[in-house]
Amino acid sequence: MRQTLLFVMAFMLVACSVGAADYKSVSTGVRYTHLGDYSVERLNRILTTEVAAFSSFKVQYPQAANAVSLYKVQYTTVIPELGNKPTLASGLVAVPQTAQKKLPVVSYQHGTVFTRTAVPSRPEESDETRIVTAQMAGNGYVVIAADYIGKGDSDEPDSYMVREATIQACMDMLFAARAVLADMGIEEEGLYLSGWSQGSWSTQQFRHRLESLNMPVKAAATAATPADLYLLLTRWINNPTALDAVWLAGSVILFTHSYAYYYDMPGLPQTVIKPEYEAACRDFYANKTGWEQLQPQIPGKIADLVQKDVVARSSAGMDAFFRRLRENQAFMWRSVTPCRYYYGKVDEVMPPYVATLAVGYTEAAGGAQAEAVYAGDVADHRGAFLYGVKDQKDFFDSKR
């Protein structure tokens, strides 16, 4: 009875949020609509002009072989951390315009964004989504991508790096995308996973769950992978470098507020962030202000943003927040999926040690092929992403 009620509530969430004339329903709680198309000319422009505007890192992509149709998907999912509360989520399905009806599928998990709308289902607001779409969907792969709970059409608070909510959003996006593709008469020819930064962590968590359910993944590829969240945050707080990105403070703010809400840690932000900055940080998390408005209101260094005892708490790692960060690691299992981990020497967000942590662990555990792939001496955070997007196409092709 309870499960039936949850499904009814979930379906009503979708039914009330969109007009029937705009979306096509393909299964309970799953609808999609055509956003538009990227011509081969536009895809090649993305892979050249728009890539150059995105980063100064030098990379040359092969030209797109086919145009791409873009579809926004709305689907119902649940939030495990909130007692499986039903909620609405959204994502993107990018389909190659080709005569082939059996196509490989890449599930792409996006990186950290400081707005609700710079997500896959709004590709014109998401540089990374356009680049992945151009490289992969423009060369015969279906690309699917969840916005995550708290982003896109979701009206929930941002579920930043919240493990079960992230896994559930990705899993239900996969099921929703399969329903959409079936409606189009397209059969899946193997599943591949890709992600960048936050999305690499999401990909690792998602892959672990898929493997535990014996749902096969052909191969995975992640760039700038935050395999150990505790290590990453303690490095940012206690061992900053001149290389560190100025916006890392924004991630710390998202961590504290999302964990306070989803892990039932009321008052957590007030115990981490200095009181004079808390109101501005709270508005930032709630998307009332953006990073450009927040940055002048907070210190440039994370150590000056957080309270003095945070250093000691992070060192011991035993309070509820830092314990949860440790529990949300994304590499401690014996993986059965071949994976490449891309990293750059001058990444201002992800230290190479953190980005490649999963490789040694997987090798020691006797897991599947795990490779650390060096993006180069001048590869920063975006450079590692761009290099990975280029390389993973050949890597995935080799596993087909």
Side-chain angles (χ1 to χ4, degrees):
M1 176 67 182
R2 183 175 179 274
Q3 189 140 8
T4 301
L5 180 60
L6 287 176
F7 275 111
V8 171
M9 290 172 63
F11 181 74
M12 288 176 65
L13 281 168
V14 173
C16 293
S17 63
V18 297
D22 300 321
Y23 284 78
K24 182 178 182 181
S25 179
V26 291
S27 63
T28 302
V30 177
R31 297 184 179 201
Y32 73 101
T33 187
H34 183 214
L35 294 175
D37 304 298
Y38 283 159
S39 66
V40 170
E41 179 184 8
R42 174 66 198 281
L43 294 171
N44 287 332
R45 190 162 68 248
I46 291 169
L47 293 171
T48 52
T49 306
E50 294 182 26
V51 164
F54 175 74
S55 171
S56 60
F57 183 80
K58 302 300 181 185
V59 61
Q60 187 171 358
Y61 293 100
Q63 290 196 331
N66 53 262
V68 174
S69 296
L70 305 170
Y71 300 90
K72 178 180 179 179
V73 179
Q74 288 191 329
Y75 62 99
T76 52
T77 186
V78 298
I79 306 173
E81 287 83 2
L82 301 182
N84 287 328
K85 173 189 174 183
T87 192
L88 174 71
S90 53
L92 176 75
V93 175
V95 181
Q97 293 183 5
T98 173
Q100 297 294 324
K101 289 300 182 181
K102 189 172 183 179
L103 298 171
V105 174
V106 175
S107 177
Y108 177 74
Q109 283 63 242
H110 72 81
T112 297
V113 294
F114 289 156
T115 73
R116 191 178 286 274
T117 60
V119 293
S121 70
R122 294 162 171 79
E124 287 304 299
E125 296 185 50
S126 174
D127 293 332
E128 60 176 300
T129 299
R130 293 198 306 279
I131 293 167
V132 171
T133 297
Q135 166 71 341
M136 301 305 295
N139 286 285
Y141 283 74
V142 173
V143 173
I144 68 174
D147 293 337
Y148 306 147
I149 293 167
K151 297 293 186 183
D153 290 356
S154 171
D155 61 4
E156 304 288 346
D158 188 357
S159 60
Y160 190 73
M161 300 286 204
V162 173
R163 184 176 60 195
E164 294 301 325
T166 299
I167 293 170
Q168 197 69 48
C170 295
M171 185 71 76
D172 287 336
M173 177 63 200
L174 174 61
F175 294 148
R178 283 174 170 171
V180 169
L181 294 173
D183 185 66
M184 297 176 181
I186 295 173
E187 182 181 351
E188 180 182 314
E189 187 190 88
L191 175 64
Y192 302 80
L193 303 183
S194 175
W196 174 41
S197 197
Q198 176 192 354
S200 293
W201 177 86
S202 304
T203 298
Q204 289 286 98
Q205 299 289 4
F206 185 28
R207 175 158 65 98
H208 189 190
R209 183 58 50 81
L210 289 168
E211 290 183 7
S212 72
L213 296 173
N214 294 316
M215 297 175 67
V217 178
K218 290 276 193 178
T222 60
T225 308
D228 188 325
L229 299 184
Y230 167 75
L231 175 59
L232 184 63
L233 260 71
T234 52
R235 156 49 187 90
W236 289 349
I237 294 169
N238 300 311
N239 189 24
T241 72
L243 196 63
D244 289 355
V246 295
W247 56 262
L248 294 185
S251 290
V252 173
I253 293 164
L254 296 186
F255 267 114
T256 57
H257 284 81
S258 70
Y259 278 40
Y261 181 79
Y262 285 97
Y263 291 122
D264 192 23
M265 300 181 190
L268 172 64
Q270 290 80 12
T271 69
V272 174
I273 297 167
K274 289 180 177 178
E276 58 265 38
Y277 308 121
E278 171 51 27
C281 293
R282 185 170 59 248
D283 287 346
F284 173 69
Y285 174 70
N287 290 301
K288 294 179 180 178
T289 59
W291 173 249
E292 293 75 15
Q293 292 75 41
L294 175 68
Q295 187 179 3
Q297 302 180 59
I298 62 173
K301 296 180 179 179
I302 294 175
D304 296 328
L305 174 70
V306 301
Q307 300 194 36
K308 288 184 178 179
D309 71 336
V310 169
V311 171
R313 288 163 52 198
S314 68
S315 298
M318 295 305 293
D319 71 1
F321 176 54
F322 287 102
R323 278 203 315 271
R324 180 61 69 176
L325 290 173
R326 284 162 47 199
E327 290 168 2
N328 284 352
Q329 54 75 26
F331 70 101
M332 294 177 125
W333 85 97
R334 184 177 178 276
S335 175
V336 298
T337 302
C339 186
R340 285 185 177 176
Y341 300 89
Y342 303 98
Y343 70 102
K345 183 176 182 179
V346 292
D347 192 320
E348 69 277 23
V349 177
M350 206 63 54
Y353 176 80
V354 178
T356 59
L357 197 56
V359 175
Y361 189 95
T362 303
E363 290 175 347
Q369 170 193 11
E371 299 177 75
V373 180
Y374 187 49
D377 289 352
V378 297
D380 58 7
H381 200 54
R382 292 188 172 193
F385 163 73
L386 291 175
Y387 186 96
V389 171
K390 179 180 180 181
D391 181 81
Q392 66 191 237
K393 167 65 168 54
D394 291 338
F395 178 52
F396 291 170
D397 284 349
S398 72
K399 302 300 181 183
R400 292 181 62 179

